[in-house]
Amino acid sequence: MALLTTLFAFLYHLPQVYKWLLKPYYVASLFMSIAFLAVRKTPGICDQLNTQREDGNPCDFDWREVEILMFLSAIVMMKNRRAITVEQHLGNIILFSKVANVILFFRLDIRIGLLYLTLCIVFLMTCKPPLYMGPEYIKYFSDKTIDDELDRDPRVTWIVEFFANWSPECQSFASVYADLSLKYNCAGLKFGKVDIGRYGEVSKKYKVSASPLSKQLPSLVLFQGGKEVMRRPQVDKKGRAVSWSFTEENIIREFNLNELYQKSKKLNKSKGDKLMQSQFPPVPEEDEPEQPGTPAEEGVVESKKDK
């Protein structure tokens, strides 16, 4: 079942997969992921390798290599059951493919294993996954602006994402959060982000740990009237995050976004009415001028005065 779920998700997102695979980071990662396969199957290179196969064929996988690959494939399928976006699916496949390559190369030859491991470390330090650059209605805060924005208008509800650029989970969640901002942003409901990897004081004040061990990244916090109302994931007494899936459906349900949006549209409408009134003030009503009487009526009035 897990295999079918992964397959259907891959086919559904196939156009996006092509788009992402053409980026340099994923092109390089793809070559690194298939490095052992290329070495083991390339004629002229595989002939120089050791093998434990009974037939002595060095250009085919032995039973231990197949066992390692099957085990790591099962881990990838388990991890991808909780994956939300295409980036997360690809990230899991690339990560565990590199782990498999490290193990297989070390088992084959410790020198090749050290060379491949060094290459992976250099790649990790110098190359970062591409950041989301699509449309969004999100305001980015700094340590000096976040408090002022949250307190500026008590009628405005804010949903703020606390993130760090180095976190793969935050990078994968960026497109989901951007889509939510496009659907639900209005005058009374706004979306914001703050990089706690850059602004440590914000991390301490709002009690969101930037440590990878805490698993609090990303964190979504709902503010109303400048005060925190709820957050996801929740944090237990030991400061560890309670497991929670950042899918679009979960966020809409947990934060009641549909209800918040309907209430916030009323604020948008009231602001629009006030703006119209300020631009086009109502015309004051004028008293109707007295109509002059007919000559006959004037004559009657004058005759009454003479009497």
Side-chain angles (χ1 to χ4, degrees):
M1 188 65 185
L3 180 60
L4 290 176
T5 303
T6 304
L7 179 61
F8 288 144
F10 179 81
L11 293 175
Y12 177 78
H13 295 291
L14 192 58
Q16 298 183 41
V17 170
Y18 282 125
K19 180 180 69 175
W20 280 89
L21 284 178
L22 293 177
K23 296 190 176 182
Y25 172 85
Y26 289 107
V27 172
S29 296
L30 179 62
F31 281 111
M32 293 182 65
S33 300
I34 62 173
F36 185 82
L37 175 63
V39 169
R40 178 59 87 181
K41 293 293 184 178
T42 303
I45 298 178
C46 63
D47 296 333
Q48 310 300 322
L49 303 178
N50 297 324
T51 182
Q52 295 183 5
R53 290 178 58 89
E54 294 180 358
D55 58 4
N57 182 10
C59 294
D60 204 355
F61 297 115
D62 59 40
W63 67 273
R64 181 64 70 180
E65 291 170 348
V66 173
E67 190 177 55
I68 293 171
L69 290 173
M70 293 296 294
F71 176 71
L72 288 171
S73 298
I75 295 178
V76 169
M77 287 188 289
M78 291 177 61
K79 293 288 290 184
N80 277 345
R81 290 176 61 185
R82 300 183 61 184
I84 305 170
T85 62
V86 180
E87 295 89 335
Q88 286 181 327
H89 283 280
L90 290 176
N92 289 333
I93 294 171
I94 290 170
L95 173 62
F96 288 100
S97 296
K98 291 177 181 177
V99 172
N101 276 268
V102 170
I103 297 172
L104 292 170
F105 274 126
F106 266 104
R107 182 175 174 273
L108 182 66
D109 190 321
I110 190 171
R111 294 170 297 178
I112 302 178
L114 288 172
L115 178 62
Y116 183 82
L117 181 60
T118 303
L119 181 63
C120 288
I121 294 174
V122 172
F123 181 80
L124 180 64
M125 296 177 63
T126 57
C127 300
K128 301 295 181 184
L131 300 176
Y132 176 79
M133 301 297 292
E136 59 184 22
Y137 288 137
I138 298 174
K139 186 174 183 63
Y140 287 79
F141 299 131
S142 68
D143 54 346
K144 298 179 181 179
T145 61
I146 182 170
D147 294 333
D148 293 337
E149 288 292 338
L150 294 179
D151 296 332
R152 186 184 299 272
D153 189 344
R155 298 173 300 173
V156 175
T157 298
W158 281 94
I159 298 178
V160 180
E161 178 195 354
F162 294 82
F163 75 103
N165 279 326
W166 52 261
S167 169
E169 290 79 8
C170 295
Q171 294 167 3
S172 300
F173 180 62
S175 59
V176 177
Y177 192 58
D179 288 341
L180 289 171
S181 72
L182 294 173
K183 293 177 181 178
Y184 291 97
N185 182 80
C186 61
L189 178 60
K190 296 184 178 181
F191 293 77
K193 294 180 73 169
V194 58
D195 185 356
I196 61 174
R198 181 179 179 184
Y199 304 110
E201 293 299 323
V202 177
S203 172
K204 295 178 182 178
K205 179 174 181 180
Y206 292 95
K207 299 179 181 179
V208 180
S209 174
S211 170
L213 300 177
S214 69
K215 297 184 179 180
Q216 293 185 34
L217 294 177
S219 282
L220 285 183
V221 182
L222 178 69
F223 293 94
Q224 290 181 330
K227 297 181 179 180
E228 179 181 335
V229 176
M230 65 174 293
R231 72 168 60 195
R232 291 292 183 274
Q234 295 176 318
V235 181
D236 59 19
K237 295 180 180 179
K238 296 182 179 180
R240 293 176 299 188
V242 179
S243 180
W244 195 72
S245 180
F246 280 88
T247 62
E248 184 172 325
E249 294 78 12
N250 282 351
I251 296 170
I252 293 173
R253 182 179 64 253
E254 293 287 327
F255 287 84
N256 294 321
L257 286 187
N258 291 322
E259 183 179 348
L260 282 175
Y261 181 69
Q262 294 300 325
K263 292 181 179 178
S264 301
K265 284 200 303 184
K266 297 179 180 179
L267 176 61
N268 193 20
K269 184 178 179 181
S270 63
K271 284 186 176 182
D273 292 342
K274 290 181 179 179
L275 182 62
M276 289 291 292
Q277 290 178 4
S278 63
Q279 292 179 346
F280 305 101
V283 180
E285 295 182 358
E286 296 181 358
D287 296 335
E288 294 183 359
E290 295 182 359
Q291 298 293 333
T294 60
E297 291 175 345
E298 291 177 357
V300 173
V301 174
E302 289 177 358
S303 64
K304 287 183 179 180
K305 287 182 179 179
D306 294 338
K307 292 180 180 180

